[in-house]
Amino acid sequence: MKKLLLATALSLVAAPALAQHAGHGMAKPATAAAAGEPADGEVRRIDKARGTVLLKHGEIKNFMGPMTMSFKLKDPKMADQLKEGDKVKFAVEQKGDDLIITSISKAP
Ligand SMILES: [Cu+2]
């Protein structure tokens, strides 16, 4: 009995961590259309080999709240104009399960 209770307690602790990332608004076609709106972000890491950037971003209207996450770049060359720590404006588009940055530029 004690073991069973422990297992239940553990799953209760683990669940919110998983739910957090699933709560991204992905796979919700109704919200995808709104994803074109520009949002503010800050470049945390650039992975040129994978063509991804880790951004700390503000709210993306009708799409997701502020968080730090990785996005795929539509064109890996877009990373050339960026460096870690840059404040940026960017727009995101949903393609299947991927969130793709269609445009990104340094914030004025
Ligand atoms: Cu996000």
Side-chain angles (χ1 to χ4, degrees), residues 27-81:
K28 273 189 197 165
T31 59
E37 298 209 26
D40 295 311
E42 189 184 311
V43 178
R44 284 301 168 90
R45 206 164 300 147
I46 301 167
D47 188 334
K48 288 195 178 182
R50 287 183 157 185
T52 61
V53 286
L54 183 71
L55 291 182
K56 180 185 174 191
H57 70 75
E59 187 192 355
I60 303 177
K61 265 193 182 167
N62 304 319
F63 197 53
M64 65 173 99
M67 73 185 75
T68 299
M69 62 181 281
S70 172
F71 291 93
K72 201 168 201 157
L73 294 165
K74 190 172 190 181
D75 180 352
K77 283 198 187 112
M78 290 161 93
D80 294 347
Q81 46 150 350

